[in-house]
Amino acid sequence: MKKLPEHFIFGGASAAYQAEGATKEGGKGPVAWDEFLEKQGRFLADPASDFYHKYPEDLELCSMFGINGIRISIAWSRIFPQGRGEVNRKGVEYYHDLLKEAKKRNIKVFVTLHHFDTPKALFDQGDFLNRDTIDAFVAYAQFCFEEFPEVEYWTTFNEIYPIATNQYLLGIFPPGIKYDLTKVIACLHNMMVAHAKVVNLFKESGFHGEIGVVHSLETKYPASNSPEDMHAAFLDDALSIRFLLDATYKGRYSKETLEALDEICQANDAVYDFPEADLLELEKAKDRNDYLGINHYQSHFVKAYNGENAIHHNGTGDKGTGSYKVKGIGERIYKEGLERTDWDWIIYPEGLYDLLLRIKKDYPNYKAIYITENGMGYKDEFKDGIIMDKPRIDYIKKYMSALADAIEAGVNVKGYFLWSLMDVFSWSNGYNKRYGLFFVDFETQKRYPKESAYWYKQLAETKTLL
């Protein structure tokens, strides 16, 4: 039996584009995803979970099931349809109303400013590869800080690494570019500079509340004890974890990180440039982050690989169809004997424990951590309004147990947000990959609590893992 802290947040997570629907309602401007999905012809982000209209019902479900925290994002193009310039007051009022409803129910709201949805007008000019987008993002953030003083917790970005790699390495996000490591590194760096600028603005302007960033951090292990596999795991980690945490908490990229980047770039004919002014901005922000949000779903086992880039994303849930081989880094393999989800994601809670202890040791100036996403994509079976999802309960229980162990070992973790609150639209999987505590019938938009919702309610009430 393990206990979680008395004031722990038991939350549910969502994101504007994945939950709101209403992509063309209320004066919202377009994002690149609208056109990208239309051209693919597989699915669209309407109706999603219709959170735009049904948020009162979803917040009521939070109250009924012991959920005392929720992650949402503001859709940038719902506030500034063109990314800058004219303000859409309908969008502003929508978020005021949503926040008011959450406060009425004593639900803490963590608001993300950017969750994969740069306004199309800015995206078409290069997104965060264009330094002008940094300035536009800072101006948008300042508007939100001034307009929404009721927000207690701000997050600049959600998952900078997946943005950069899905856009420019895997090519599964717009603009669909593959294997361009120069663009990957430039995107990572520019977004971290944008984060630092916003944090510095927030602190120097004396705005109310706390501010942090959400990183997707998936622990890397060598596939064997061979020096080659150990080095491959180091390189994969350097790009996906160390780069981000160095920028967030060291204010500079460590010697080891830069050496890894040089090796990766040499193998891929890539280049990078980190201006000194950017590093000074990172340096100024490094001790100003109030919290780190961690999205963690799986770990990876990495072996040496000397071939060409070969990545296939499992977007359907067909077992064994995914592959990840990156020249100059390594190959992620399926470790024998470990469970996997329907989408081949390795279930390995030890990876979360090891990650949290590493942050405590290597980045001691962190202040607090929230697990801002963790959960299991599953092909739920709907039987007369009853959804039994024991595998999801088992998954959450294992990861919460590892989390409790990390807290016991001295890591300051203050909350956990299950991905996702309700079933939502999935960027590359559409509607057949479900994560929610609440099943959504996407045709009727009716909500049904799953078995996991009742289990999570008991956990939130007792704070005890049995």
Side-chain angles (χ1 to χ4, degrees), residues 27 78-81 84-92 143 147:
R78 206 177 280 290
I79 304 296
F80 292 99
R84 64 179 98 210
E86 188 176 350
V87 175
N88 173 34
R89 297 310 307 183
K90 284 186 179 178
V92 172
F143 174 87
E147 179 66 38

Side-chain angles (χ1 to χ4, degrees), residues 374-394:
N374 172 253
M376 183 179 183
Y378 189 59
K379 296 178 180 178
D380 291 317
E381 291 188 18
F382 181 88
K383 294 181 179 178
D384 299 323
I386 297 173
I387 304 97
M388 306 300 287
D389 59 343
K390 190 172 186 302
R392 180 175 289 111
I393 295 172
D394 291 342

Side-chain angles (χ1 to χ4, degrees), residues 25 28 50 61 68 129-130 173 186 188 239 249 261 274 290 304 313 355 437 440 457:
E25 287 187 48
K28 185 180 188 294
D50 196 25
L61 284 169
N68 61 354
L129 297 179
N130 183 340
F173 282 15
L188 291 173
L239 186 64
Y249 288 112
L261 283 187
F274 304 144
D290 294 304
H313 173 71
L355 173 69
L437 288 171
V440 176
K457 180 178 189 288

Side-chain angles (χ1 to χ4, degrees), residues 196-212:
K197 282 179 175 286
V198 169
V199 167
N200 290 329
L201 167 73
F202 186 87
K203 292 299 182 180
E204 289 165 12
S205 301
F207 288 114
H208 163 75
E210 299 184 8
I211 192 165

Side-chain angles (χ1 to χ4, degrees), residues 312-386:
H312 179 73
H313 173 71
N314 180 358
T316 61
D318 295 330
K319 298 286 284 185
T321 60
S323 66
Y324 187 97
K325 304 172 184 177
V326 179
K327 182 167 62 173
I329 298 181
E331 176 184 0
R332 296 175 183 173
I333 66 163
Y334 298 129
K335 189 76 169 175
E336 291 299 320
L338 295 181
E339 289 183 279
R340 287 182 274 150
T341 71
D342 287 341
W343 275 262
D344 288 331
W345 291 15
I346 292 171
I347 301 173
Y348 194 70
E350 293 90 336
L352 177 59
Y353 177 85
D354 290 344
L355 173 69
L356 292 170
L357 270 292
R358 170 193 178 175
I359 291 170
K360 178 176 182 290
K361 174 177 174 290
D362 292 350
Y363 302 93
N365 58 326
Y366 91 96
K367 294 174 184 172
I369 290 172
Y370 294 90
I371 304 304
T372 39
E373 287 182 28
N374 172 253
M376 183 179 183
Y378 189 59
K379 296 178 180 178
D380 291 317
E381 291 188 18
F382 181 88
K383 294 181 179 178
D384 299 323
I386 297 173

Side-chain angles (χ1 to χ4, degrees), residues 206-311:
F207 288 114
H208 163 75
E210 299 184 8
I211 192 165
V213 65
V214 167
H215 289 315
S216 171
L217 304 177
E218 298 178 340
T219 315
K220 309 298 186 295
Y221 298 98
S224 75
N225 291 326
S226 74
E228 296 81 8
D229 288 354
M230 293 176 72
H231 187 61
F234 164 75
L235 292 172
D236 199 345
D237 175 274
L239 186 64
S240 64
I241 297 180
R242 190 188 293 260
F243 185 105
L244 297 166
L245 294 180
D246 281 359
T248 306
Y249 288 112
K250 290 185 181 295
R252 301 242 164 194
Y253 304 110
S254 66
K255 178 173 175 285
E256 293 81 5
T257 301
L258 292 175
E259 287 174 352
L261 283 187
D262 289 340
E263 185 174 341
I264 293 167
C265 285
Q266 185 175 4
N268 289 276
D269 297 320
V271 295
Y272 64 84
D273 177 38
F274 304 144
E276 183 63 22
D278 290 356
L279 300 178
L280 291 173
E281 197 75 50
L282 296 177
E283 174 76 24
K284 193 161 52 167
K286 71 181 178 65
D287 295 316
R288 289 173 159 176
N289 297 281
D290 294 304
Y291 64 88
L292 171 66
I294 297 176
N295 294 354
H296 181 92
Y297 293 92
Q298 61 172 330
S299 299
H300 298 286
F301 291 82
V302 187
K303 74 174 184 179
Y305 176 73
N306 298 312
E308 293 300 309
N309 291 314
I311 300 175

